[in-house]
Amino acid sequence: MRLLDPGRRVAVVGTPGQGKSQLVNALLNAPVCAVGDDRTTAVPAVVRHAERPTATVVTDERPAIGAAADPADAGPVETATARANKLALVRDDVLRTEIGLPRTLLGQGLVLVDSPGIGDPGCPRTARAMAVLAEADAVLLVSDATGELSALEIDLLAQVSRLCPTVLVALTKIDMVPAWRRVAEVDRRLLAEAGIAAPLLPVSSVLRLAAAKAGDKRLNAESGFAELIDCLRREILADPSRVVAAVAAATSGLALDQLIVPLRAEFDAGQPGADPAATAAWHAAGRRVEELGRAAARWQTLLADDVADLMADMDHDLRDRTRRILREVDDYFEVADPAKVWPEFEEWMRENLTAVAEVHSDWLLERFEWTAARIARHSPLGAASGSAWSSDLLREVSENHVGTLRTPNIEKFSTPQKLFVGLRGSYSGLLMSGLATSLAGLPLINPFSVGAGVAFGARSVFEERGARLKRRQAIAKTTAQRHVDDFFLSYGKETKDATRVIHRALRDRFAAVAQQLRGEATQSARAIKLDLDTEAARRASRAAEVRRGLEQLLALRRRVEAIRAQRPARALSA
């Protein structure tokens, strides 16, 4: 809205005591601004063209010139600024003083704004002065000739020139300083060194007011105001649209700079790398997949070796236990008669072989439990440890492996057999004794030969009974050994079959867990890689977006600079 205002605002700024208000009075040849050693501008005074002199103190509740203001709000032009300055000391709602004067220079579109003195950044007057600068089309910095431009003034000009390209410098009070020309040269050099293209115009408000009062043209020329007015007309009033364009370009340039700086920093920083934590997680997942692959080969080899050792140990254990049974059988039948103890022996054999089978089966399952736990400890397959399969595998070991012990053909020594053996033995004894006693003249059958026959018969019976016992014991041992051998073959085969079944079950269990773990690790690695690829694509898209945005902003910035370059170069000196 400010750029659409037909008047071009010129902000008269400077530090306190430089003669700003007096310069405005001299420029307009009217005491519109309060001046004096004890009077300091507290609120801005806006002076524009009006058909008749008028002045209004504008507060939050009072309209500016041109609105339907209460006539009681208006006051004498000469006292309006003084009254506003006094009110500003006790009230916070005083905004500015609006003054209207019938002046040719103002009628050409010039609007002068006498701003408060710039000092401490926290001072309210400084804040009001900066607000005036933000709304200015051009800036007239006032600095007296008693000293060179200060660092504060140079810095202020540098900042103002970025926002408002049209900048003028008025060197006041030259009537008080004989060496003002030297000060002017130093000030021009300081401006040049700072890169500020602002003309320096030496003026004297006292000489200007005196010339206007006396109508002395020579004195007016000596005051320097004629050159100041020409400069204002040339720089501002001659081509107002150019001034507006310059202000708009400067404002746009600052806005573009605020957008360009972070984008350029982001562009110069380059495309950021991937998240180190995510990359590390992806590598860790990949190593996990590889480790599971290597672990699969390790646990399969370990399981195969343990099963081979187990089968050898189980065969040795079964052979050792059956041999101990056979040794006990041999010892037992060295004294026992199978014909008398065979039922008892058969029960004993069944109980011992059953015990061997049970202990052997339990040891088989315990060894597989130990093997599973060992593989789980030395591989990432801890979830596969446990004995969930034991109850199923126990059913694989048959309980009908003992069988029935076959009763051997044990010949008994019957009474007729004893009589026959006794008669056969007594006949030999009777005959031999009878022949021997016949030499002594005794008959063949005599008491001596009969006694010898009886002795020989009894001995024959006794010897035959012992021989028959040995044969029965040998038959019993042979029968027991065959039965144990049959048990060893059948149960050994059944144990090996059960071992293979358990081996396959345990292998399948571990393989399923390994496949599940590897699938989870692979899925995790894929998910992380997908996130990394998505993030990389997002970064690439963002980089392209930043590049396009930066190119567009730089193109706009070049257009703004081209608009500012159309403004003709101004001389650095008056």
Side-chain angles (χ1 to χ4, degrees):
M1 296 299 294
R2 176 174 61 86
L3 298 178
L4 298 178
D5 192 337
R8 301 278 69 86
R9 285 176 173 251
V10 178
V12 183
V13 299
T15 57
Q18 302 299 313
K20 298 185 288 64
S21 301
Q22 186 73 323
L23 183 140
V24 174
N25 292 341
L27 190 60
L28 300 175
N29 192 23
V32 292
C33 298
V35 295
D37 296 336
D38 59 342
R39 297 181 178 179
T40 302
T41 303
V43 294
V46 181
V47 186
R48 66 179 74 223
H49 182 266
E51 295 299 331
R52 58 183 179 83
T54 182
T56 303
V57 177
V58 181
T59 64
D60 289 340
E61 301 177 354
R62 295 181 180 179
I65 292 178
D70 189 346
D73 295 338
V77 176
E78 295 80 3
T79 62
T81 56
R83 183 156 52 91
N85 292 335
K86 290 180 180 180
L87 288 175
L89 297 177
V90 296
R91 293 174 56 176
D92 296 332
D93 62 342
V94 180
L95 301 179
R96 63 187 180 276
T97 305
E98 290 279 1
I99 300 173
L101 287 177
R103 293 291 186 270
T104 304
L105 187 61
L106 299 177
Q108 295 174 356
L110 185 67
V111 178
L112 294 176
V113 183
D114 183 20
S115 63
I118 297 176
D120 185 14
C123 179
R125 290 193 299 270
T126 301
R128 294 189 183 105
M130 299 308 294
V132 171
L133 288 174
E135 297 181 354
D137 299 315
V139 175
L140 176 60
L141 177 69
V142 178
S143 177
D144 62 32
T146 58
E148 302 165 358
L149 287 171
S150 64
L152 175 62
E153 292 171 328
I154 293 294
D155 185 61
L156 177 62
L157 285 172
Q159 295 183 25
V160 167
S161 61
R162 295 181 57 198
L163 182 62
C164 185
T166 306
V167 179
L168 310 176
V169 179
L171 186 64
T172 60
K173 303 181 182 180
I174 60 175
D175 57 291
M176 296 175 56
V177 182
W180 64 266
R181 291 180 178 82
R182 183 190 62 80
V183 176
E185 290 299 326
V186 173
D187 288 348
R188 291 189 180 96
R189 178 172 55 81
L190 292 175
L191 292 172
E193 291 176 354
I196 301 173
L200 183 70
L201 305 168
V203 294
S204 171
S205 299
V206 174
L207 295 180
R208 163 71 171 178
L209 292 174
K213 185 177 181 180
D216 190 342
K217 294 183 179 180
R218 183 187 62 81
L219 188 60
N220 184 61
E222 186 177 350
S223 68
F225 271 82
E227 186 175 355
L228 174 58
I229 293 172
D230 290 341
C231 187
L232 290 173
R233 287 173 174 166
R234 182 176 63 252
E235 296 292 335
I236 301 171
L237 302 179
D239 191 359
S241 60
R242 175 182 55 79
V243 176
V244 173
V247 173
T251 305
S252 302
L254 290 177
L256 288 173
D257 288 341
Q258 293 179 355
L259 297 175
I260 289 173
V261 169
L263 283 181
R264 185 181 293 277
E266 184 176 353
F267 180 77
D268 293 341
Q271 184 174 348
D275 184 9
T279 303
W282 179 50
H283 290 312
R287 289 192 297 270
R288 172 70 172 169
V289 173
E290 295 176 358
E291 176 61 25
L292 289 174
R294 292 191 295 268
R298 287 199 303 269
W299 71 256
Q300 289 178 5
T301 302
L302 187 63
L303 179 60
D305 292 342
D306 285 351
V307 170
D309 295 340
L310 174 61
M311 294 184 71
D313 293 342
M314 294 297 293
D315 183 75
H316 178 271
D317 177 74
L318 183 61
R319 187 177 298 276
D320 180 68
R321 291 179 187 276
T322 54
R323 283 182 176 179
R324 285 202 299 267
I325 291 176
L326 290 176
R327 283 194 294 270
E328 291 182 12
V329 170
D330 290 342
D331 294 340
Y332 180 71
F333 280 120
E334 287 292 330
V335 295
D337 186 358
K340 298 178 180 180
V341 299
W342 187 257
E344 179 184 351
F345 170 74
E346 184 177 7
E347 182 67 23
W348 176 86
M349 177 66 74
R350 181 180 294 105
E351 291 177 355
N352 277 268
L353 291 181
T354 302
V356 168
E358 291 176 351
V359 172
H360 199 68
S361 299
D362 292 341
W363 189 42
L364 172 66
L365 296 180
E366 289 176 2
R367 280 290 297 271
F368 267 108
E369 293 283 351
W370 177 84
T371 298
R374 178 168 176 259
I375 293 176
R377 287 195 306 269
H378 293 84
S379 69
L381 305 178
S385 62
S387 57
W389 38 267
S390 298
S391 59
D392 297 333
L393 296 176
L394 282 172
R395 290 195 294 268
E396 299 292 337
V397 181
S398 173
E399 297 179 355
N400 300 320
H401 46 74
V402 176
T404 302
L405 180 62
R406 184 176 61 86
T407 303
N409 185 15
I410 300 175
E411 181 183 0
K412 294 183 178 180
F413 198 21
S414 62
T415 302
Q417 290 176 338
K418 292 179 181 179
L419 291 174
F420 177 77
V421 171
L423 289 175
R424 187 177 57 186
S426 64
Y427 174 78
S428 299
L430 179 64
L431 182 60
M432 292 175 60
S433 299
L435 291 175
T437 57
S438 65
L439 296 176
L442 295 174
L444 181 65
I445 299 175
N446 56 59
F448 293 103
S449 63
V450 172
V454 171
F456 270 88
R459 181 178 179 83
S460 297
V461 171
F462 178 78
E463 289 179 350
E464 181 66 19
R465 184 174 58 189
R468 286 176 177 270
L469 177 61
K470 292 296 183 181
R471 287 198 301 271
R472 290 196 300 271
Q473 289 175 339
I475 292 172
K477 291 179 182 179
T478 302
T479 302
Q481 183 174 6
R482 288 177 179 175
H483 182 72
V484 171
D485 288 342
D486 293 340
F487 167 79
F488 177 82
L489 290 175
S490 62
Y491 184 69
K493 175 64 167 59
E494 199 164 351
T495 301
K496 292 178 182 179
D497 293 342
T499 302
R500 284 190 290 269
V501 171
I502 298 174
H503 179 199
R504 295 189 187 101
L506 189 59
R507 181 192 61 196
D508 295 342
R509 175 70 175 252
F510 277 122
V513 174
Q515 184 176 3
Q516 178 183 358
L517 293 177
R518 188 164 186 177
E520 292 175 355
T522 303
Q523 185 64 27
S524 176
R526 288 176 180 173
I528 297 174
K529 186 62 169 64
L530 180 61
D531 292 341
L532 288 174
D533 293 342
T534 303
E535 181 63 19
R538 188 195 65 78
R539 292 195 303 270
S541 176
R542 175 58 183 170
E545 181 181 356
V546 169
R547 183 183 184 89
R548 289 193 302 269
L550 186 59
E551 290 176 351
Q552 293 174 357
L553 291 175
L554 290 176
L556 290 176
R557 193 69 177 85
R558 287 191 294 270
R559 292 181 60 184
V560 168
E561 291 298 329
I563 294 175
R564 296 184 65 177
Q566 292 176 2
R567 178 172 171 266
R570 299 181 302 192
L572 295 178
S573 60

